[in-house]
Amino acid sequence: ILQYLCKKSNLFYTELLHIVILPDGNGRTGKLLVNLELMKAGYLPTDIKFEDRISYYNVIMGLMNTMQSIIWA
């Protein structure tokens, strides 16, 4: 269940980054919404530490690239 929820949350987040037009707020908004989904499912919210942000961004970019490959395949 947790793995499914993580995949679902990540997919939601990457889709949100593509459609939200707020240039400065979409990352924070997305993280809040992902945490809301995690908490609704009974899990603790995520906390990406500042020193881990580059790894976090790399994962998000990889997901976005994967989604683009699937969409345009």
Side-chain angles (χ1 to χ4, degrees), residues 1-12 37-38 41 43:
I1 294 277
L2 181 58
Q3 185 177 14
Y4 168 77
L5 184 59
C6 287
K7 286 181 181 180
K8 179 181 169 186
S9 296
N10 286 330
L11 180 61
F12 168 77
E37 290 301 311
L38 288 170
Y43 295 98

Side-chain angles (χ1 to χ4, degrees), residues 27-73:
R28 289 185 298 253
T29 302
K31 290 173 197 167
L32 285 172
L33 293 173
V34 166
N35 280 330
L36 176 63
E37 290 301 311
L38 288 170
M39 291 187 297
K40 284 179 7 185
Y43 295 98
L44 295 173
T46 61
D47 179 24
I48 307 300
K49 300 196 180 335
F50 182 78
E51 59 268 12
D52 296 331
R53 74 189 186 289
I54 300 300
S55 295
Y56 172 75
Y57 294 147
N58 288 337
V59 169
I60 295 299
M61 291 304 293
L63 289 170
M64 291 173 75
N65 291 335
T66 299
M67 286 181 56
Q68 287 296 327
S69 297
I70 292 169
I71 290 170
W72 297 108

